Amino acid sequence: MSDPHTADLFAPPAGEPQVLAPGAVLLPGAALDDAPALLAAIRDILARAPLRQMVTRGGFKMSVAMSNCGALGWISDRRGYRYAPLDPERDAPWPAMPPVLQALATTSATRAGFAGFVPDACLINRYAPGARMALHQDRDEADFDQPIVSLSLGLPAVFLFGGFERGDRPTRIPLGHGDVLVWGGPARLRFHGVLPVKDGTHPATGACRLNLTFRKAG
Ligand code: SIN
Ligand code: FE2
């Protein structure tokens, strides 16, 4: 059940899938009904594997705070980007991926045309107001035949959906609470990023946007 205040006042109703480009499908509001359960599961993960701002190979601290669940977690440090089975902060495995998260990823991928998607990695991104993500490709995964499933919760953001060259002008896709975006197949290696999140508070998350990206990394 969705919180009636959240559903009626702040979020559009769940809508029809929108094909943004071949292989890229927006599922508006696909996670609205499950949002309270998803957020409870996320809070439990973050209590065990706290959010942290990682540094890039170049030594810059990322504005987005991150954690992971699943068999593999995405990390960045002075050695570069990679997937790792252990959380380097705790020298312990990442928390397991809760069934409610895995089910959302698999169902969303199927709705977008990618049946049989079973993620082994879920990166949790927390954007405080002002946090952003520069244009990049997701290419640290073993198999580019597997899609990316991206869940947005809390404050809205503008997703930049680019082309296959860094310089290609991106399309601006507004993403709000409960939206799920899937890109795979011919869209798998498109550049993408997120504009700085605007100040605000959301009834479900407070003053932040949460983004979860599900991947088959290994
Ligand atoms: C990412 O590309 O990992 C994050 C995308 C998003 O925050 O919507
Ligand atoms: Fe990405």
Side-chain angles (χ1 to χ4, degrees):
M1 284 283 288
S2 59
D3 176 333
H5 300 286
T6 309
D8 296 347
L9 298 179
F10 298 102
E16 291 299 308
Q18 296 170 21
V19 178
L20 304 177
V25 182
L26 174 61
L27 303 170
L32 269 183
D33 285 353
D34 288 338
L38 295 165
L39 282 163
I42 294 164
R43 283 194 194 100
D44 185 55
I45 294 161
L46 297 180
R48 289 182 283 150
L51 291 160
R52 78 293 303 263
Q53 285 172 275
M54 301 185 195
V55 295
T56 63
R57 188 196 293 274
F60 295 101
K61 199 200 275 183
M62 302 177 78
S63 61
V64 178
M66 300 178 174
S67 185
N68 292 276
C69 66
L72 292 169
W74 186 90
I75 59 172
S76 176
D77 59 21
R78 295 304 296 251
R79 287 159 53 202
Y81 308 136
R82 64 198 174 277
Y83 284 95
L86 300 184
D87 174 354
E89 296 276 313
R90 299 177 302 121
D91 200 23
W94 299 101
M97 196 181 304
V100 66
L101 290 183
Q102 141 115 49
L104 179 90
T106 298
T107 304
S108 300
T110 301
R111 286 184 67 196
F114 301 98
F117 176 61
V118 181
D120 58 8
C122 171
L123 171 63
I124 302 171
N125 291 320
R126 187 195 58 192
Y127 295 73
R132 62 188 285 270
M133 194 168 291
L135 280 179
H136 65 279
Q137 292 171 298
D138 287 5
R139 49 185 326 144
D140 301 321
E141 300 75 28
D143 180 2
F144 295 152
D145 287 343
Q146 298 291 324
I148 309 283
V149 175
S150 167
L151 161 67
S152 293
L153 293 167
L155 287 180
V158 176
F159 186 81
L160 300 173
F161 188 57
F164 299 97
E165 307 286 340
R166 189 179 296 278
D168 292 347
R169 180 188 291 273
T171 309
R172 294 175 174 222
I173 315 287
L175 292 180
H177 182 65
D179 288 345
V180 178
L181 181 61
V182 181
W183 66 97
R188 179 62 177 73
L189 290 177
R190 280 182 182 264
F191 278 86
H192 58 278
V194 178
L195 288 183
V197 168
K198 290 211 171 86
D199 231 334
T201 57
H202 189 281
T205 59
C208 74
R209 168 180 189 252
L210 290 172
N211 169 262
L212 275 67
T213 40
F214 298 91
R215 304 184 174 91
K216 175 80 178 75

